[in-house]
Amino acid sequence: MINDNDVIETLDELETFLRLVEVGGLGLNSVSGVALATNNANGRPFVAVLDDNQQLVLGRYVTTEVFENGKDMVRYGTKKPH
């Protein structure tokens, strides 16, 4: 489920989104990880929240800048305390 209207445009927005996922602030169940990916249908980059079966639970489109510069944040998590 990717909402076209909720585009993450800055690294700060990406960090906030990741922290919400980490602390369970979005009310999602069975979250096992996050990844940056590209939509096969339209080529748009997005951040994917995945469940235990590596299925998409929630996604948010991201700008190209966030996709290129947010990889370490997605891979290693946020550095700030929760």
Side-chain angles (χ1 to χ4, degrees):
M1 164 172 101
I2 301 176
N3 185 336
D4 283 345
N5 297 325
D6 294 332
V7 177
I8 296 173
E9 297 181 345
T10 67
L11 292 175
D12 287 338
E13 290 176 8
L14 177 62
E15 182 177 34
T16 299
F17 179 77
L18 293 174
R19 277 202 257 145
L20 281 171
V21 171
E22 289 172 0
V23 300
L26 298 175
L28 303 173
N29 295 320
S30 303
V31 172
S32 67
V34 293
L36 284 171
T38 304
N39 186 319
N40 290 337
N42 60 20
R44 289 178 69 186
F46 68 100
V47 60
V49 180
L50 306 170
D51 68 10
D52 295 333
N53 296 318
Q54 302 302 306
Q55 299 296 311
L56 181 66
V57 176
L58 178 66
R60 292 284 186 267
Y61 283 116
V62 299
T63 63
T64 302
E65 178 186 339
V66 170
F67 183 76
E68 293 300 324
N69 298 311
K71 292 176 182 177
D72 284 343
M73 190 183 307
V74 171
R75 187 176 294 134
Y76 303 116
T78 60
K79 304 272 190 256
K80 294 181 182 176
H82 298 76

